[in-house]
């Protein structure tokens, strides 16, 4: 257990569905992240929140919409996804958003888009 | 552009030693991380190097040479549970993490 939980662990959705991924951290951290992990590719940073404010958005398509209602919770809302969006979506948290702080990851949501 | 290179896959024998290399080309350097990721699980932190040299932590050691843009992770007395992917990541001048694609380590009895 890393102190970061994600639900659901697996999700299958059609291209017209709307779904949300949830992440919760129990570590008292101030920064939270969404990553996309595809096979044999580096982790892709999607969004970073620090103290509930989005500080980075790495040109992610608008069909992905993040929400951070407080410093412990992070959501990723999904809408009209494409098959190439199928991947493992990882949430992480760190004490601050400085790149020298260890990031603690959740187990991920395995997303399949049909 | 920024780039992290590590081998895609390595195979080693239980009880042996294996070295996983990572080379990087980034705009600036503020430290290098190694993470372990078992299949279907979260990546977990192994080590952080910001100064040149070797850091030892039990069976795992991590080495850094900033002048060469090079690091390695050394795993001794390999156990079957060490079968996992090992991710190298560098913090650049903006303190953003640049990730490698990971090295899948297969341990054979």
């Amino acid at each position: 257990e890393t102190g970061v939980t994600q639900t659901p662990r697996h999700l299958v959705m059609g291209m017209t569905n709307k779904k949300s991924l949830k992440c919760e951290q129990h570590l008292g951290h101030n920064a939270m992240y969404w990553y996309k992990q595809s096979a044999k590719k580096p982790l892709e940073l999607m969004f970073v929140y620090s103290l509930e404010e989005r500080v980075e958005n790495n040109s992610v398509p608008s069909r992905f919409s993040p929400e951070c209602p407080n410093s412990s919770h992070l959501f990723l809302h999904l809408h009209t996804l494409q098959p190439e969006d199928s991947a493992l979506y990882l949430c992480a948290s760190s004490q601050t958003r400085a790149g020298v702080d260890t990031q603690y990851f959740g187990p991920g949501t395995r997303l399949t888009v049909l | 552009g920024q780039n992290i290179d590590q081998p895609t896959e390595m195979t080693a024998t239980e009880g042996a030693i294996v070295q996983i290399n990572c080379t990087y080309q980034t705009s600036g350097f503020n430290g290098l991380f190694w993470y372990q990721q078992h299949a279907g699980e979260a990546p977990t932190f192994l080590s952080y190097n910001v100064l040149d040299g070797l850091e030892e932590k039990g069976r795992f050691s991590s080495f850094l040479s900033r002048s060469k843009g090079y690091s390695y992770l050394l795993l001794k007395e390999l156990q079957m549970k060490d079968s996992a992917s090992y991710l190298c990541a560098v913090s650049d001048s903006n303190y953003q993490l640049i990730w490698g694609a990971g090295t899948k380590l297969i341990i054979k009895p």
Side-chain angles (χ1 to χ4, degrees), chain A residues 2 9 35 37 40-43 45 56 58 88 90 97-103 105-107, chain B residues 8 30-31 33 35 37 40-45 48 87 91 94-97 99-102:
Chain A
T2 62
R9 293 293 308 274
Y35 284 95
Q37 187 175 38
K40 299 184 180 179
K41 288 186 177 180
L43 286 176
L45 178 63
E56 287 186 45
N58 291 281
L88 181 69
L90 290 165
R97 64 174 286 262
V100 297
D101 284 342
T102 300
Q103 293 186 16
F105 287 83
Chain B
T8 303
N30 282 301
F33 291 85
Y35 282 80
Q37 185 178 22
E41 297 183 14
T44 54
F45 170 78
Y48 172 69
L87 310 180
S91 178
N94 294 319
Y95 294 96
Q96 180 166 332
L97 278 186
W99 293 85

